[in-house]
Structure formats: structure tokens, C-alpha cells
Amino acid sequence: MESDIEILSEADASMQKLRIFGIDDREDENGRRRIKDVEVYVPIVCGSIAFYLGKKATEYRTHKWTVYVRGATNEDLGVVIKRVIFHLHPSFKNPTRVVDSPPFALSECGWGEFKIDITVILHTDVCEKKLELSHVLKLNPENAYGPIPKSIKIPVVAESYNEIVFPDPFESFLARVHNHPAVHISNLPDGFNLPPPGVADTYHLMEKGDTKDHPLSQWFLKFSEVEELFKLTAARKKVQAHIAKLKRQLIMVDGQPEGLQPSSGYEC
């Protein structure tokens, strides 16, 4: 099964919605049914935290850093993500690092900043397309006025918020994740009956792991307000679309001949 991925950039480059489109058919070749007009979205954060080693630093080991993909509210992403592959700079030994279970994080030491390409592999009942992300590792602290002194106590944190959106999800995926705190569902019809939840390929074998008690969690940025902003933006667009529809209907009514105008319901 093939899918397309469209990245919808928001006003801030650090906030994106990664929209994954499935095939148009209601069923795929395996007979899995899609639920029309429902969206599943998963808020995620790509980031890194780097500590300066101070007096312990050497020429090629100035910082200890960790790069990760986590839930925006530190929930366990293993319910959606099967594996994360971090592609480091080729100067590292074994630069392609695979993390098979949450938390999806990798730690290393180094001296330079570089772009880390990140391949996210989803469970097969979610999507069979790989999701390609990237993150720039930041080691040196700075603010709006330029570089600032390094500290061994306060790390350099670089994070970006994204939402992975799955329109028309598979029914089996929806049944499995609809009560999971890392997953949000919109437009689910009232009274819709889901089948018993299944198990996504190797999810039942994975080590479950949120990042609420992660050793670096005190440094994680808070994205709850950003998530609310996305919800408000989506609601505003829905209201605007409804207003536009009503305006079109009024224009059609106003353009009809007088004899075809809708009756007022009473006669003078």
C-alpha cells in the first residue's frame, strides 16, 4: 500500500502538521476497512538536549547529547510507532542507529552541530509508509543577541512540535488506539461501534515506555498551548467553512426568480 505525506507548515517553522494520506478505497487489498471522515492525530516532538562537559571536554568530545522522538505530553508513542532510525553524521561509528522500542531516544558524545535525519516506521495497521523527519542538533547556547556562555548545569534544548494526522484510518487501528492518551480522534460518529481491539504486529512484544519519568524530562519544553492553538485553528476553519456554505446557499436563494423564492409559510 502506498501513501503520500504532505507537510503543512504553520506560522512558526517549529510547528508542523504531518498529514499522511491513505489510498482512496474504503478497503485495501487485505480487506481492512477505512473509516471515512474520521481523523486520528498524534502530537509528537523531535528534539535534542546537549550538556557541555566543561573540564572533562576533549577536542572531539565537548558535549554529551541525546536526540529523541517523544509524545508532546510525554505519552508512550509505541502504540503508533514501531521503530525509529536516527541517521547520524558519517563521522560517527555506525552512524545509522535503530531504536526498536520506546522511549525512542539515542545518546552520544561529540563536538559539532549537524542535521540528524530521522526515519519513523509505523505499525502496519497505521500506515505502511515511512515518515521522514529531520532535526538539527544544537550544542552551543544562544539568544536573540547571539552566543552566550556555556554552562555545565544548564543544557541546550532544541525541540519542534509536529502532529501526525491520519485521515480515514483503518478500523482496526482506530479500535486499538481510541482510548490511548497519546492519540486524539476527531469526527468519530456518535454511537459508532468499534470492533474488539487487535494487536499491531510486534506492539505486544515492545517494551512500553513513556517519557514522563525520563531523566531529561525536566528540560523538555511544554507544548500544551501549541496543541490548543492547533485545535482552535481547526475549529475556526470548520466554522469558516460552514459560514461560506451558508453564504453560497443565500446567494442561490437570492438569485432565484421571484416565483421560485421559498414560501414564507403564510399568505397575506
Side-chain angles (χ1 to χ4, degrees), residues 5-239:
I5 298 177
E6 178 185 359
I7 298 180
L8 306 177
S9 296
E10 300 293 329
D12 186 335
S14 66
M15 298 183 295
Q16 295 179 337
K17 285 193 176 185
L18 311 176
R19 194 172 185 85
I20 299 183
F21 291 92
I23 56 178
D24 293 335
D25 298 333
R26 293 303 100 200
E27 294 186 2
D28 71 349
E29 62 273 15
N30 297 319
R32 296 180 297 183
R33 188 166 72 97
R34 291 184 177 274
I35 307 302
K36 186 177 180 181
D37 299 326
V38 173
E39 286 191 341
V40 174
Y41 68 95
V42 183
I44 68 170
V45 172
C46 293
S48 62
I49 296 178
F51 284 89
Y52 176 53
L53 296 177
K55 293 181 179 180
K56 296 181 180 179
T58 63
E59 182 178 4
Y60 298 110
R61 293 169 61 91
T62 60
H63 293 76
K64 181 176 181 180
W65 50 262
T66 300
V67 62
Y68 47 84
V69 176
R70 66 176 179 88
T73 54
N74 296 311
E75 301 293 349
D76 182 359
L77 291 180
V79 69
V80 175
I81 297 175
K82 178 180 180 181
R83 179 179 299 117
V84 174
I85 304 173
F86 297 96
H87 305 275
L88 306 183
H89 191 274
S91 61
F92 282 85
K93 185 179 180 180
N94 301 322
T96 300
R97 309 289 180 86
V98 180
V99 181
D100 284 316
S101 62
F104 299 105
L106 171 71
S107 296
E108 259 292 358
C109 288
W111 60 270
E113 299 180 343
F114 59 95
K115 185 182 77 168
I116 301 174
D117 291 322
I118 302 171
T119 301
V120 176
I121 299 175
L122 307 166
H123 290 293
T124 54
D125 68 340
V126 180
C127 181
E128 295 179 3
K129 183 90 172 181
K130 297 177 182 178
L131 181 61
E132 300 293 344
L133 307 173
S134 65
H135 174 76
V136 177
L137 175 66
K138 303 293 290 185
L139 303 182
N140 302 308
E142 58 184 25
N143 56 26
Y145 303 100
I148 58 177
K150 298 177 182 178
S151 169
I152 62 172
K153 295 182 178 180
I154 301 176
V156 175
V157 181
E159 292 192 330
S160 59
Y161 176 99
N162 306 274
E163 284 184 4
I164 313 176
V165 184
F166 304 96
D168 301 347
F170 286 123
E171 185 179 48
S172 57
F173 168 49
L174 194 62
R176 186 170 61 81
V177 303
H178 77 284
N179 284 326
H180 196 282
V183 177
H184 303 267
I185 301 173
S186 64
N187 303 326
L188 189 64
D190 292 336
F192 181 77
N193 294 319
L194 289 168
V199 178
D201 46 297
T202 58
Y203 176 61
H204 64 292
L205 300 176
M206 293 177 63
E207 177 184 351
K208 307 303 184 293
D210 58 40
T211 52
K212 293 179 180 179
D213 297 321
H214 193 278
L216 299 176
S217 61
Q218 62 174 314
W219 305 110
F220 290 160
L221 303 181
K222 306 297 183 183
F223 287 95
S224 57
E225 292 182 0
V226 177
E227 187 175 345
E228 289 300 318
L229 176 61
F230 277 133
K231 291 180 180 179
L232 290 173
T233 301
R236 184 172 67 250
K237 289 180 179 179
K238 187 174 182 179
V239 171

Side-chain angles (χ1 to χ4, degrees), residues 236-252:
R236 184 172 67 250
K237 289 180 179 179
K238 187 174 182 179
V239 171
Q240 290 173 342
H242 184 63
I243 292 174
K245 180 180 179 180
L246 292 176
K247 286 182 177 179
R248 289 194 298 269
Q249 292 175 345
L250 288 173
I251 291 173
M252 292 177 63

